[in-house]
Amino acid sequence: MTRAVARSHPNIALVKYWGKQNEQLILPAAGSLSLTIDAFPTTTEVTLDDRATADTFSLNGVPAAVGQTARVSALLDIVRAVAGVDTFANVDSISEIPTDAGLASSAAGFSALAAAAAAAYGLELDSRALSRLARRGSGSASRSVIPGLAVWHAGNDEESFAEPVNGPDVRMVIVTLSTGAKPVSSREAMRTCMLTSPFYPAWVASTKWTLDGALEACRDNDFTRLGRITELHANRMHALIQSADPPIRYLTPQSVAVFDAVAQLRAAGRSCYATADAGPNVVVLTTPEDAEPVARHLAELGETRIVGAGPGAAVIERGIEP
Ligand code: 2P0
C-alpha cells in the first residue's frame, strides 16, 4: 500500500475571499492576500487500500460525518483522475487547532490533504499545481500551500492559484472570544451575500483595487498601509455580510470592543490593525516590536496568542507499506 503524510498550517486573510465566480471549480470572484501562520497545523495521512470499496476519513481519531467524508472523497477523485488510478484511500487527519481558537480548519485541512493525496497517488505537482488542487477542496486552502504572505489570484482554473509575496515582517495576535460553532458556514453565507446583497457587485469591484493596494504596500514594505487596508477590508466584508437577506452577523459586541481597543492602542502609538473572519474572534495584525504589548493589553478582552509567518504545505513522510 502506498502512503504519504503531509502537514499544513492555517492562514488569515488580510484581503478577504468572499464570493465565487464558479462554485464547482471554486474560482473566487476576486483575488485575496493572506498570511500562513506558524501555529495549529493539520497533519494528514493518506493510505491507498486495494481492498477498500470506498474512501474513509477520520478526524482526530474519530470517523468523520458523511458530508465531510464526501468532500474529502471529491478531492481524492480529482487526484485519481489525474493519476489514472482508481484505488480508494484511508485518510487520517490530526488537527492541532484547539476547538476554542476560532480559526477555520478547512484551509490547513484541504491543503494538507491535497499534498498527502498527490504524493500517495504518485503525482509530482509544483506549488502552483498543488495550490490549484487544494483550492478545489476549499478556496482558502489554495493559500495555505504557500508559506507566509500569499496572494491567491482570481481567474480561470489554470490561473487561479496562490503564490508567495514579499512584504513586511508581521505578527498576529489571535484574540479568542467565543468557542461556539458558527451560525452559518462561510460557503453558505458567501452564496447568500452574492444572491441577495445589493452591495455585492461593489464588494467584488472594490476588493480588486484593495488587493492592488495591499500588494503595493507589500512591495514597498509599508506596514502601516497594509494594516490600514487589512482593517478597512475586514469592516467592508462584515458590512456586506450584515446586508444579506436573511441577515447574517458574525461579529459580537465583544468583537467590536476588540476593534475599539485596537483603535485606542493605535491612538497611543502602537502599530496594530484588527480583522475578523466568519466568526466573532478577532485577529490583530501588528509588528514584531508591538506584538507583546498589544497582546498584553488585549488579554483583558479575550485569550490571546501571538503567531508569525509559518511554512507552506509539506510532505513529511512517504513510503510503501507491506
Ligand atoms: C478568507 N474566509 O479570505 C475568508 C474570510 C472566511 C472569511 O476563505 O467555500 O472555507 O470552501 O471555498 O475557503 C472561508 O472560505 O470557503 C474564507 P469555500 P472557505 O479567509
Side-chain angles (χ1 to χ4, degrees):
M1 287 194 293
T2 311
R3 63 183 279 277
V5 182
R7 180 169 295 151
S8 187
H9 292 70
N11 69 76
I12 309 288
L14 312 183
V15 175
K16 307 291 190 188
Y17 150 56
W18 196 259
K20 299 176 179 70
Q21 51 142 326
N22 181 318
E23 292 216 343
Q24 204 227 328
L25 293 173
I26 312 201
L27 298 175
S32 55
L33 174 73
S34 63
L35 182 79
T36 298
I37 62 172
D38 59 357
F40 315 132
T42 294
T43 306
T44 296
E45 176 170 5
V46 173
T47 308
L48 274 58
D49 183 348
D50 294 327
R51 284 159 305 185
T53 54
D55 297 315
T56 64
F57 173 44
S58 78
L59 182 58
N60 295 334
V62 179
V66 175
Q68 279 180 306
T69 305
R71 271 182 77 174
V72 166
S73 246
L75 195 76
L76 294 177
D77 284 343
I78 296 169
V79 174
R80 282 189 282 255
V82 178
V85 177
D86 53 15
T87 312
F88 291 110
N90 299 316
V91 178
D92 294 296
S93 233
I94 303 292
S95 168
E96 292 178 36
I97 298 184
T99 46
D100 63 355
L103 292 175
S105 57
S106 68
F110 280 102
S111 168
L113 174 65
Y121 282 93
L123 301 183
E124 292 293 336
L125 302 183
D126 62 16
S127 98
R128 278 185 187 191
L130 185 59
S131 174
R132 288 175 53 218
L133 176 63
R135 187 198 82 216
R136 299 290 296 275
S138 195
S140 53
S142 65
R143 301 184 309 230
S144 273
V145 166
I146 308 299
L149 290 168
V151 58
W152 171 24
H153 302 290
N156 63 29
D157 182 25
E158 305 249 301
E159 297 161 338
S160 187
F161 55 83
E163 61 182 339
V165 171
N166 287 325
D169 185 19
V170 298
R171 298 291 181 274
M172 285 176 161
V173 178
I174 297 171
V175 186
T176 302
L177 302 167
S178 160
T179 62
K182 54 175 97 162
V184 189
S185 74
S186 295
R187 189 166 284 194
E188 191 187 330
M190 337 183 157
R191 192 179 295 137
T192 306
C193 288
M194 186 178 84
L195 294 175
T196 69
S197 173
F199 306 149
Y200 184 75
W203 158 257
V204 173
S206 66
T207 297
K208 290 175 185 166
W209 77 67
T210 302
L211 178 61
D212 291 343
L215 291 173
E216 251 177 53
C218 286
R219 219 166 19 241
D220 298 344
N221 223 26
D222 185 342
F223 175 83
T224 303
R225 184 171 178 204
L226 185 63
R228 285 174 57 91
I229 289 173
T230 297
E231 192 169 302
L232 179 69
H233 201 250
N235 277 318
R236 285 185 176 160
M237 181 184 78
H238 286 282
L240 171 75
I241 290 170
Q242 291 185 48
S243 73
D245 181 13
I248 304 162
R249 198 177 61 215
Y250 288 118
L251 301 180
T252 61
Q254 289 74 27
S255 321
V256 175
V258 178
F259 272 72
D260 285 349
V262 166
Q264 280 167 10
L265 280 164
R266 267 203 310 273
R270 299 290 177 195
S271 295
C272 53
Y273 297 88
T275 185
D277 287 331
N281 300 312
V282 179
V283 175
V284 181
L285 181 69
T286 185
T287 58
E289 303 74 46
D290 279 344
E292 286 284 351
V294 166
R296 217 176 306 123
H297 188 90
L298 297 177
E300 62 193 49
L301 297 173
E303 200 181 311
T304 58
R305 160 124 186 203
I306 299 170
V307 300
V315 174
I316 54 173
E317 260 180 66
R318 67 170 91 205
I320 311 280
E321 279 200 343

